Amino acid sequence: MGEGEKTRLVAWSTELRTVHERLRNALRVTRETSNVDDLLLFCHGFCAALTGHHEGEDRELFPAIAEQHPELRDTLRALQQDHSMIGHLLGGLQAAVDRSAPPAELTNHLEGVAAIMESHFRYEERMLLTVLETLRLDAHPSQVLGPL
């Protein structure tokens, strides 16, 4: 670190919980939307936010955890596999949105994403929150956890 630079202290466990809660809320709003035009808009925004979150974790957070806690590498691989599966589900949702699928079909896609996302978030929090309490990672939370 150069002179004048200082390490940013980030409570990564708090940041992760906050982002997960914001994504849960975004999904809740999207699922409660009945106007088709609004539903399409919320689906686009939700997909982009969740994708950005997972890309940041894969790019920044997980490598930092693996370096400082190599015993968690299998857990991190499982979480990355979840990211891939969720990405596939989001792709199906996005395709349905792009072709202006009926609201019932969009709802089915959202229900699938919601179930996997919640399971993933709970597992991730259970496995990583303790480690995140002491994680040393000098980066801005939006770079690591997405722009939420």
Side-chain angles (χ1 to χ4, degrees):
M1 217 177 299
E3 195 172 320
E5 291 181 50
K6 57 184 175 183
T7 301
R8 178 183 351 219
L9 295 176
V10 175
W12 291 107
S13 61
T14 301
E15 293 291 336
L16 182 69
R17 277 192 234 110
T18 299
V19 168
H20 282 179
E21 195 54 36
R22 292 192 75 194
L23 286 164
R24 286 175 175 120
N25 289 337
L27 180 58
R28 190 171 18 263
V29 168
T30 301
R31 291 167 74 188
E32 292 171 356
T33 301
S34 57
N35 178 294
V36 175
D37 291 334
D38 288 343
L39 181 62
L40 298 177
L41 176 66
F42 286 134
C43 283
H44 279 298
F46 171 73
C47 288
L50 186 56
T51 298
H53 170 63
H54 287 159
E55 287 173 349
E57 285 182 331
D58 289 347
R59 182 184 60 248
E60 302 284 340
L61 184 64
F62 292 174
I65 293 171
E67 181 182 310
Q68 295 171 42
H69 297 276
E71 73 279 6
L72 290 174
R73 286 196 171 124
D74 288 341
T75 298
L76 297 171
R77 269 192 291 280
L79 290 167
Q80 287 174 312
Q81 288 173 340
D82 282 358
H83 290 174
S84 179
M85 179 179 18
I86 291 168
H88 176 74
L89 293 173
L90 290 176
L93 172 59
Q94 193 65 55
V97 167
D98 290 346
R99 64 179 162 70
S100 300
E105 184 179 338
L106 294 175
T107 297
N108 288 339
H109 282 284
L110 284 168
E111 295 300 323
V113 169
I116 300 301
M117 184 187 88
E118 187 58 36
S119 173
H120 170 75
F121 283 179
R122 287 180 185 200
Y123 177 69
E124 185 172 64
E125 290 172 3
R126 188 172 61 249
M127 300 305 291
L128 300 182
L129 283 181
T130 301
V131 169
L132 292 175
E133 291 289 335
T134 58
L135 184 72
R136 293 177 315 277
L137 176 58
D138 189 23
H140 193 275
S142 66
Q143 178 185 348
V144 176
L145 298 173
L148 292 173

